[in-house]
Amino acid sequence: MTARPTVTFAKLAAPRKGTAILISAEEGGLGPVARECDPAGVFERAFAAADFSGKLGSSAEILAPQGSDLDRVAVIGAGKASALDEQTWQKIGGAAFAAVRKSQDVSLVVEVAGAEAGPENVAQLAMGLVLRSYSFDKYKTKKDNGDGKPASDKPAKIAILCANPSAAKKAFAAAEAIADGVILARDLVNEPANILGPIEFAAKAKELEKLGVKVEILTEKEMKKLGMGALLGVAQGSVRPPRLVVMQWNGGKAKANPVAFVGKGVVFDSGGISIKPAAGMEDMKGDMGGAAAVTGLIHALAARQAKVNAVGIIGLVENMVDGNAQRPGDIVTSMSGQTIEVLNTDAEGRLVLADALWYCQDRFKPEFMVNLATLTGAIMVALGQHHAGLFSNNDELAERLYDAGGATAERVWRMPIGPDYDKLIDSKNADMKNIGGRYGGAITAAQFLQRFVNDTPWAHLDIAGTAMGSPATEINQSWASGFGVRLLDRLVADNYEG
Ligand code: BES
Ligand code: MN
Ligand code: ZN
């Protein structure tokens, strides 16, 4: 991974050397401090000549003219000062990083004419900058900047010049904890399956112990004892044994029931005997995006010392084709005691989650459970890649998730569930089958999960379209987005802390 830029905070002042990044509003242009480094208005004329208007997302760059001690000056558009919100500040940060790349000695003047840049805003900007700087290039022996030109391996050094640097630094500590969680999730999803199997993933989760998280790793033997026949049936075709990881962050009141997050962690999904077509199968290294988000979330909560008791449970398996692989028609018994007829071995995520969800509610009696899974192609047909599918048995939880999605731009869209859909997974030979009919594939998958949550308030997020391969944004240029970490951190922060 590209070295993270080093970010420092200092007093708002006109920079005198190196690269200066200024922010310009759509109306109002540069603020007074930025104008100080440009007393003759030379930069402003150059920006205008480059057709720079201050529109959000736009930028322009000039080599500093004679008479200035600066080397380079870049300007980032902030859009309308009155429309600046959290996400806009993050986007400005992303654009600022894109403008400087690996430059050393960068000063970013955080000042927008007509708007105040409080410490929280500065923290969001810095978070956008860090998230944009992420790139999965650890396997490239020759690093480049994405433009074919060789990159320096020195990280960018960026001083953020702002009104209240010590308050901004403090606010950034929490924002950085969240960014680190997002980056951890991206790394896990981007990592190829030959490197990241269930055991290796579990070891990554174990590293959260450094942050004070309690981490237990259940082996195949222990899962057998618990009767997790659904999860184990998926795993049996792989030479790499499954793991179930239980992470506990106890930052809340001693007796308070935890909130719980459960993730699908299929490190590679070949489809099993119901094998997938070859084209695009490589993307199935990311079929652990739910587990990655849960791990990233627990990292974020622990790193920012969230005042909440939270449990993260991830089911880690590999779905392979093998002489010992499970067959279509097999009937397995889940930990809940319910039997499942496996009609399609490629509908494996729900089998993994069935046991993980049941175990979670049975052991922890959580306030609620939210599970995340790259569960169905059908959710992409329904919603595209800009919303995750939200399915829930609880309106309050669903609304809170919707609101957290709006606040973080990790948007979710509620889908229906109900008895009519539930009937579609009844089976002739067992309590249920693992696929529905031709239509409503994302919904029948959700109905299946609901049969394993008991009476627990629950929501399922189908992130097949948003966790990977999603369109690049101002704060993510990588295949893996880390979707879910910011969303669920916000759900917790706004509703379940203190
Ligand atoms: N992991 C896939 C879903 C998926 C597809 C995620 C594409 C991301 C991108 C899941 O295990 C799967 O194979 N689902 C099947 C279900 C079907 C067999 C009922 C699907 O969506 O086709
Ligand atoms: Mn599958
Ligand atoms: Zn899958």
Side-chain angles (χ1 to χ4, degrees), residues 339-359:
T339 56
I340 304 160
E341 186 178 20
V342 179
L343 291 183
N344 189 317
T345 64
D346 196 14
E348 84 298 338
R350 64 198 75 182
L351 297 169
V352 173
L353 286 171
D355 282 334
L357 286 165
W358 186 265
Y359 175 82

Side-chain angles (χ1 to χ4, degrees), residues 214 216 218 244-250 255-262 309-313 356-369 456:
K214 190 174 157 203
E216 295 160 75
L218 277 64
L244 188 90
V245 181
V246 181
M247 298 166 266
Q248 292 179 68
W249 167 249
N250 291 317
K255 293 230 172 79
N257 288 349
V259 297
F261 303 93
V262 179
N309 298 335
V311 175
I313 296 183
L357 286 165
W358 186 265
Y359 175 82
C360 179
Q361 58 82 37
D362 185 54
R363 174 170 170 195
F364 292 104
K365 311 281 178 275
E367 201 66 24
F368 67 75
M369 296 192 283
T456 312

Side-chain angles (χ1 to χ4, degrees), residues 264 266 269-272 276 284 287 319 344-349 374-375:
K264 168 180 173 181
V266 177
D269 179 13
S270 70
K276 287 182 180 296
M284 288 301 109
D287 206 19
N319 189 24
N344 189 317
T345 64
D346 196 14
E348 84 298 338
T374 50
L375 203 63

Side-chain angles (χ1 to χ4, degrees), residues 198-273:
I199 288 177
E200 294 79 13
F201 194 134
K204 285 276 176 201
K206 189 88 178 160
E207 287 177 18
L208 297 186
E209 282 184 340
K210 279 188 252 169
L211 298 173
V213 177
K214 190 174 157 203
V215 182
E216 295 160 75
I217 301 175
L218 277 64
T219 61
E220 205 174 1
K221 210 168 125 198
E222 291 160 299
M223 287 188 266
K224 257 188 202 138
K225 225 167 155 186
L226 289 162
M228 295 188 168
L231 184 152
L232 291 169
V234 177
Q236 77 187 34
S238 172
V239 294
R240 299 195 281 181
R243 292 290 184 263
L244 188 90
V245 181
V246 181
M247 298 166 266
Q248 292 179 68
W249 167 249
N250 291 317
K253 298 202 180 75
K255 293 230 172 79
N257 288 349
V259 297
F261 303 93
V262 179
K264 168 180 173 181
V266 177
V267 297
F268 185 73
D269 179 13
S270 70
I273 299 292

Side-chain angles (χ1 to χ4, degrees), residues 8-16 20-23 30-37 89 107-119 122 125 159-168:
T8 54
F9 299 87
K11 265 215 125 31
L12 186 60
R16 300 283 172 220
I21 307 179
L22 312 174
I23 302 170
L30 295 174
V33 176
R35 284 218 166 94
E36 261 181 59
C37 32
W89 282 106
S107 307
L108 169 49
V109 179
V110 185
E111 179 196 47
V112 178
E116 217 194 307
V122 179
L125 175 143
I160 297 184
L161 310 181
C162 59
N164 189 343
S166 61

